[in-house]
Amino acid sequence: MSGENSDSATCSETTLTVNGKPHTLLVDHRRALLDVLREDLDLWGARKGCDHGQCGACTVLVDGRRVNSCLLLAVALDGSEVRTVEGLGGDGGELHPLQQAFLDRDAFQCGYCTPGQLCSALGMLDEAAAGHPSRVTGDTPDGGPEADGPESGRFAPGGPVPLDRDEIRERLSGNLCRCGAYPRIVDAVEDVIR
């Protein structure tokens, strides 16, 4: 168990399954998930960029959904599964297809935002596959005519959302890249969905 303060009034035992491994920690109620990942579990992939949930550098997956880990209190996630960039690849050290696509497409420059971009892209792919529309998704279930099928490029209610460049850009818009690698990031995501 670890934590900055062992006072039971300000700390709670919290169990998180991080990258497939359970961790039980004594966590101060005020600590963000990002700080627990970095300081207690030595997982330095998620970055502290703005500490306000505006840049996406801290993006991880919690129970399969992408989140800004700088905004979530770790104690509120007791029992949750957390996946960081360190947990994307396989056990044998092989890269996740998204990681390989980022390398192949040179979809990073300084690399500071890359862990958050990768986790966000993975979460975005799952959201689109589950049929969650974005602001730029074509005809949605509650507005407009039915889609003509997957080839139409329009959203079919209950089905996956087709991902074109505009859809990918919109869905990744919460992750900033100060180096401007956006076109190559979109290329890398397109490579994975083909």
Side-chain angles (χ1 to χ4, degrees):
M1 297 224 220
S2 69
E4 295 175 2
N5 186 346
S6 61
D7 181 5
S8 63
T10 60
C11 296
S12 292
E13 189 173 278
T14 304
T15 300
L16 301 170
T17 301
V18 181
N19 299 329
K21 296 177 185 165
H23 298 274
T24 300
L25 308 155
L26 189 60
V27 179
D28 186 303
H29 298 161
R30 301 163 291 187
R31 292 186 71 211
L33 174 61
L34 177 62
D35 296 327
V36 170
L37 292 172
R38 293 174 61 85
E39 296 166 13
D40 295 352
L41 301 179
D42 292 324
L43 296 170
W44 296 92
R47 311 283 201 222
K48 187 174 279 206
C50 66
D51 221 14
H52 295 287
Q54 297 175 346
C55 72
C58 66
T59 304
V60 298
L61 301 169
V62 174
D63 295 329
R65 297 197 54 132
R66 55 192 171 148
V67 300
N68 291 326
S69 62
C70 71
L71 296 180
L72 296 176
L73 295 175
V75 295
L77 302 173
D78 187 32
S80 295
E81 290 193 26
V82 179
R83 192 169 178 197
T84 68
V85 70
E86 292 92 345
L88 295 185
D91 292 334
E94 63 272 4
L95 297 177
H96 186 280
L98 268 171
Q99 291 172 307
Q100 188 61 55
F102 267 61
L103 284 172
D104 294 345
R105 288 294 190 157
D106 197 23
F108 55 90
Q109 288 182 28
C110 77
Y112 194 83
C113 72
T114 305
Q117 296 278 2
L118 286 163
C119 287
S120 187
L122 185 59
M124 176 268 302
L125 291 172
D126 290 342
E127 290 165 11
H132 299 291
S134 78
R135 186 186 64 79
V136 300
T137 302
D139 297 326
T140 60
D142 56 353
E146 293 292 316
D148 300 324
E151 293 77 29
S152 71
R154 295 184 348 195
F155 175 59
V161 176
L163 293 171
D164 59 16
R165 291 184 75 80
D166 289 336
E167 190 76 41
I168 294 167
R169 275 192 295 269
E170 170 63 22
R171 288 172 181 269
L172 294 179
S173 65
N175 289 75
L176 303 181
C177 174
R178 290 174 178 90
C179 299
Y182 298 114
R184 292 184 182 256
I185 291 169
V186 173
D187 291 342
V189 173
E190 281 187 319
D191 288 350
V192 171
I193 61 177
R194 288 189 189 140

